[in-house]
Amino acid sequence: MIYHFLNVYLQKSEQQINNDTYNSTSSIGLHNWLIKTVFDEFNDRSEANDFNTKINELKTLRKKSDYQNRIIQQNEAEKARDTAYETLNIIKRNFNL
């Protein structure tokens, strides 16, 4: 989703994204770089902080399922879905999508 957002809405070419990630991800990692790049584009700091909170909630759940080899319960899956919708709505509101 974030790659698409950077490409289509922030009009960054695939090459530009690749160059930026190559030059910037060694210390923070690709996912964190993508999140920070979107975070930095917000004009409203409150909304940027809300985005950051929501995206990190999703990241935590992804880590549980991917790296801890843990089964995600129904209530966690529903919360992740709701959080994803909320995150998308924050992006839509702030970038007039």
Side-chain angles (χ1 to χ4, degrees):
M1 174 180 87
I2 293 179
Y3 267 116
H4 177 76
F5 175 77
L6 293 174
N7 179 250
V8 175
Y9 298 102
L10 298 183
Q11 299 180 344
K12 292 181 179 272
S13 70
E14 185 176 344
Q15 185 62 48
Q16 185 180 7
I17 294 168
N18 288 338
N19 289 344
D20 289 349
T21 57
Y22 179 77
N23 294 327
S24 303
T25 60
S26 60
S27 62
I28 64 171
L30 177 61
H31 286 115
N32 288 332
W33 178 85
L34 291 167
I35 292 166
K36 180 185 179 321
T37 299
V38 173
F39 178 88
D40 289 344
E41 292 293 327
F42 279 85
N43 291 322
D44 181 329
R45 286 296 101 193
S46 175
E47 287 279 87
N49 290 332
D50 288 346
F51 165 80
N52 200 45
T53 298
K54 298 293 182 192
I55 204 79
N56 280 305
E57 288 175 18
L58 292 171
K59 190 171 145 185
T60 299
L61 193 56
R62 183 187 62 84
K63 285 180 180 179
K64 283 182 187 177
S65 67
D66 288 353
Y67 302 121
Q68 296 175 4
N69 215 15
R70 196 172 145 244
I71 295 173
I72 301 302
Q73 301 301 316
Q74 179 74 25
N75 65 329
E76 291 175 299
E78 289 170 358
K79 178 156 177 35
R81 180 199 59 216
D82 294 344
T83 302
Y85 284 131
E86 291 167 10
T87 305
L88 186 56
N89 286 331
I90 292 168
I91 291 171
K92 286 179 177 180
R93 259 194 326 268
N94 284 274
F95 298 100
N96 298 317
L97 308 178

